[in-house]
Amino acid sequence: MYTHQWTEVLIWRDAERWLGRGPDRDSALEDALTQMFPSAAARQLFDRFRDGLQEPARPPAAPVPPSVSTEPISAPPAAASPEPEQPRSPIVGRIQLPTYPAAAVAEARETLEEILKDIQDMRPDFALMSPRYQKVYMLAWISRARSFDEQFQGEHKITVLVRRIAHELTNLSKTLWPGSVQALQMNAVPACVVTELGLKTLHAPKTWAEAHEFVQNHKDRALTSEVPVDDYGWADRARKTPPGPPRTLLREAQRAIEAIAGNVTDPPPRHLTTPPEELPNEQLDALLKHAQALREIRRFIAAEDPETWGAVMGRLRWLAGRLGERLPLLRRWLDPEFIPPPERARTGPSADQVRQQQAAVRAERDALAAADSFDDEALLAFLQRAFDAHNTPEVASLVQPIRPRIDALRPDLFEDRRLRRRLTGLHDVLKRGELGVLPSEGDGDLEEETDDVDDPGAHLVAQVRPKVEGKRVLFVSNREDPDLKSKLEESLGLDITWCDGNARKVQAQCESISRHSYDYVLIATGFQAHNIDGILARAARASAIPYVRVFKGRPLAVARALARSLGVASAA
């Protein structure tokens, strides 16, 4: 037993060990017993076994030496049989499990189920976050879950749900690799969240409830960056177009990294097939180029496959740690606060020249479509000019009049490997039907950077809008945001009622939800307190109204969350 501000009790039997903790000896012992006998049936069997135990036989008392006497000593009268002693537990007495109101237990279980649902709903946005953002959200989830296990000690169903949450977060951490998260370990203590957040305090939390409150109160401080970052914690520059087909670049990076470090959707391998010091320089250079490409496509892949992007980046972070000093530039490009230099941006023709190229490509397309026949050589020359003037989704729209010939074209007809990859990507885009919007002749400067991060998700918005247009929506955030409200209404055709998360207003909106005043309830969980989330989730569930978590509520995140809720096939 160990005591220092709290008490630890270790029960050890052969290879089995149980470590219990609590504010005092009895609580620590109860915690250990709960782990030893987690179910009610196991506990009853233990009690029956303990009640059948007998005290070990006591050794007979040493005989009294006889007195020196010549008188015979009469035999003592027969002693009465001693009363059998009541059996006692080898542990101090019988431990009574605390009992809790059924309604309180049911509400706690419901809240833990909501945490699990929140983790699942957040996976796409979570995968796009920087490692520090991921760790802060993990700490918030696990500390809140452990606070219920602490509050309802001995409630097996509560314990099982908390362990499910810890298991889910542990699997995510192995895939996304944000770094060590001590609070997920079985022997974690509440005070660890302070160092995990990189903060200092004179009053470290002593309970998990205090730990969760600490995380919520200091989350903004922990996420503060020395450079401007976006909603996901990255300092990337905005781009008008990706450096290539995002899915193609992602698949290439995934294949290259998996060839060295195993499947990115599985936990990292214990050992690399090829030791880090033996990897050739060419392979290291390729890893660096893939890291650069992954940074550049993050905004564009967000609408397509964010979870794969996060897994590939996570494995790359893991691999960078194994490479050590062999590839310091890789760690630099994996640093979310590193701003890619301007020279990484593509240099090329001016905006006027690009518009002229696009006009020439359209004219050539029209000529091919009008021709009775043309050979593959002419088609390859046209595609090469089209790829120079447009991104792949735009080319997919451009070639619709001659699509049968494009579908039949083999990539190996191109001598240039880059063009073979572009044609493979074009075939993929055509199969999925993800057509881009061709720029008109009156479009403005194509080289001008844009701050609208939601443009890459235009095709997803187009899929979701017909299913939600005109729907009445309650949108809950922590503050008024008229610009965001207008964007969502314009892009998705929603009829939005805004709620700033004030407790009194939320209660009034719960009554509106019960009257079925809304078709959807959207909550920006990236800004909102967990208790508000729980209140609204229960109200929406009771009225059978879809409840959708939309991270920070940006149009792309909202479209992606609604697509997932509606079962739209292309949702990430």
Side-chain angles (χ1 to χ4, degrees):
M1 186 174 73
Y2 169 77
T3 302
H4 179 72
Q5 294 183 345
W6 66 88
T7 301
E8 291 183 351
V9 173
L10 177 64
I11 301 177
W12 191 338
R13 177 183 178 275
D14 296 332
E16 298 178 301
R17 301 175 190 178
W18 298 273
L19 182 63
R21 291 189 177 87
D24 51 41
R25 183 175 183 275
D26 289 343
S27 298
L29 190 57
E30 172 59 30
D31 184 34
L33 284 174
T34 300
Q35 299 173 47
M36 294 169 67
F37 309 103
S39 69
R43 193 55 174 265
Q44 289 173 4
L45 289 174
F46 166 68
D47 289 340
R48 291 178 187 174
F49 169 76
R50 182 187 57 194
D51 291 345
L53 292 178
Q54 299 291 334
E55 280 286 307
R58 296 182 180 179
V64 179
S67 304
V68 180
S69 172
T70 58
E71 296 291 329
I73 299 175
S74 58
S81 298
E83 289 286 336
E85 292 189 12
Q86 294 296 323
R88 291 188 300 170
S89 169
I91 308 170
V92 185
R94 178 179 297 202
I95 299 197
Q96 297 294 325
L97 288 174
T99 57
Y100 306 99
V105 174
E107 184 175 344
R109 289 176 58 190
E110 192 174 286
T111 302
L112 291 169
E113 292 282 5
E114 286 296 335
I115 293 176
L116 278 169
K117 183 70 165 55
D118 193 13
I119 294 171
Q120 288 300 319
D121 290 347
M122 281 277 291
R123 286 181 75 102
D125 292 296
F126 193 68
L128 293 169
M129 292 180 190
S130 67
R132 183 167 55 176
Y133 276 48
Q134 291 171 347
K135 182 177 287 191
V136 170
Y137 275 86
M138 283 186 171
L139 290 175
W141 279 321
I142 192 61
S143 60
R144 189 170 187 230
R146 291 198 189 281
S147 71
F148 287 103
D149 204 16
E150 186 177 61
Q151 180 182 354
F152 296 93
Q153 290 187 22
E155 281 290 338
H156 174 61
K157 292 181 179 179
I158 297 288
T159 301
V160 168
L161 283 171
V162 173
R163 289 180 181 175
R164 278 182 59 194
I165 291 169
H167 181 70
E168 186 74 19
L169 293 176
T170 299
N171 287 342
L172 271 175
S173 69
K174 289 178 180 178
T175 303
L176 302 178
W177 208 257
S180 175
V181 185
Q182 297 177 24
L184 296 177
Q185 300 173 7
M186 287 288 291
N187 60 349
V189 295
C192 73
V193 301
V194 178
T195 52
E196 292 271 34
L197 292 176
L199 304 176
K200 295 181 180 180
T201 180
L202 296 175
H203 305 287
K206 297 180 180 179
T207 67
W208 284 108
E210 292 177 0
H212 178 251
E213 185 178 0
F214 185 88
V215 174
Q216 291 297 103
N217 291 341
H218 297 85
K219 182 168 64 174
D220 291 341
R221 280 178 57 200
L223 296 179
T224 300
S225 173
E226 295 181 359
V227 298
V229 294
D230 61 19
D231 286 345
Y232 297 97
W234 295 89
D236 295 332
R237 298 176 182 273
R239 295 184 64 117
K240 183 74 175 179
T241 57
R247 284 183 183 270
T248 302
L249 293 173
L250 178 60
R251 281 198 299 268
E252 290 175 353
Q254 182 178 356
R255 283 195 293 266
I257 292 164
E258 287 184 337
I260 301 172
N263 194 322
V264 297
T265 58
D266 296 332
R270 291 183 177 273
H271 304 287
L272 293 174
T273 305
T274 303
E277 62 274 10
E278 296 180 12
L279 288 172
N281 290 332
E282 295 80 5
Q283 210 164 10
L284 298 182
D285 292 341
L287 287 177
L288 179 59
K289 290 180 181 178
H290 288 310
Q292 294 169 343
L294 289 168
R295 286 289 296 266
E296 292 178 327
I297 67 172
R298 179 177 61 89
R299 296 180 182 223
F300 304 94
I301 207 68
E304 300 181 5
D305 198 357
E307 293 187 48
T308 300
W309 183 92
V312 174
M313 284 293 283
R315 188 56 50 88
L316 202 51
R317 280 192 287 268
W318 177 86
L319 191 55
R322 270 70 191 159
L323 291 172
E325 295 303 317
R326 283 210 66 190
L327 197 56
L329 269 179
L330 177 61
R331 292 199 302 275
R332 186 183 184 192
W333 276 89
L334 293 176
D335 179 4
E337 295 187 5
F338 167 66
I339 303 175
E343 58 266 22
R344 280 287 303 167
R346 293 175 297 169
T347 58
S350 66
D352 286 339
Q353 291 172 326
V354 170
R355 282 193 287 272
Q356 290 172 7
Q357 286 179 346
Q358 291 173 345
V361 166
R362 284 196 297 271
E364 189 174 356
R365 186 273 319 272
D366 294 340
L368 289 174
D372 293 333
S373 63
F374 51 88
D375 56 22
D376 286 344
E377 186 175 346
L379 185 58
L380 291 172
F382 159 73
L383 277 179
Q384 183 169 349
R385 287 186 282 273
F387 285 141
D388 289 340
H390 294 279
N391 61 34
T392 303
E394 290 173 353
V395 175
S397 294
L398 183 73
V399 301
Q400 286 302 304
I402 55 173
R403 177 168 175 178
R405 291 294 305 272
I406 299 294
D407 289 338
L409 200 61
R410 300 195 319 274
D412 58 12
L413 293 175
F414 275 121
E415 294 182 2
D416 189 333
R417 188 171 61 177
R418 181 184 66 87
L419 293 174
R420 291 200 296 268
R421 289 200 303 266
R422 290 293 300 272
L423 180 55
T424 300
L426 175 61
H427 284 158
D428 289 344
V429 170
L430 288 169
K431 287 178 183 177
R432 294 194 303 269
E434 297 176 357
L435 307 182
V437 178
L438 288 170
S440 64
E441 295 182 3
D443 281 347
D445 189 351
L446 298 179
E447 294 178 341
E448 181 182 357
E449 290 188 334
T450 174
D451 292 329
D452 187 357
V453 302
D454 302 303
D455 282 346
H459 70 281
L460 186 60
V461 171
Q463 288 179 294
V464 172
R465 181 178 177 120
K467 298 179 180 296
V468 300
E469 191 169 6
K471 299 291 186 182
R472 300 164 301 167
V473 171
L474 173 65
F475 191 102
V476 183
S477 181
N478 69 331
R479 60 178 180 267
E480 294 289 342
D481 192 339
D483 291 339
L484 178 57
K485 180 174 181 289
S486 297
K487 275 187 177 182
L488 292 172
E489 288 178 331
E490 291 173 8
S491 62
L492 292 167
L494 301 173
D495 178 11
I496 294 178
T497 298
W498 198 274
C499 177
D500 63 9
N502 175 278
R504 182 174 55 81
K505 293 181 181 178
V506 166
Q507 187 58 46
Q509 291 297 346
C510 285
E511 296 175 6
S512 298
I513 292 171
S514 67
R515 295 193 300 268
H516 293 85
S517 300
Y518 305 108
D519 300 304
Y520 287 91
V521 177
L522 308 184
I523 180 168
T525 49
F527 295 125
Q528 200 52 257
H530 285 139
N531 61 325
I532 298 297
D533 181 22
I535 291 170
L536 288 166
R538 285 190 288 272
R541 188 187 306 110
S543 299
I545 294 174
Y547 185 76
V548 184
R549 296 178 174 91
V550 294
F551 187 43
K552 292 192 175 180
R554 302 296 183 249
L556 176 55
V558 172
R560 189 170 52 226
L562 285 171
R564 189 170 56 248
S565 175
L566 293 164
V568 174
S570 65

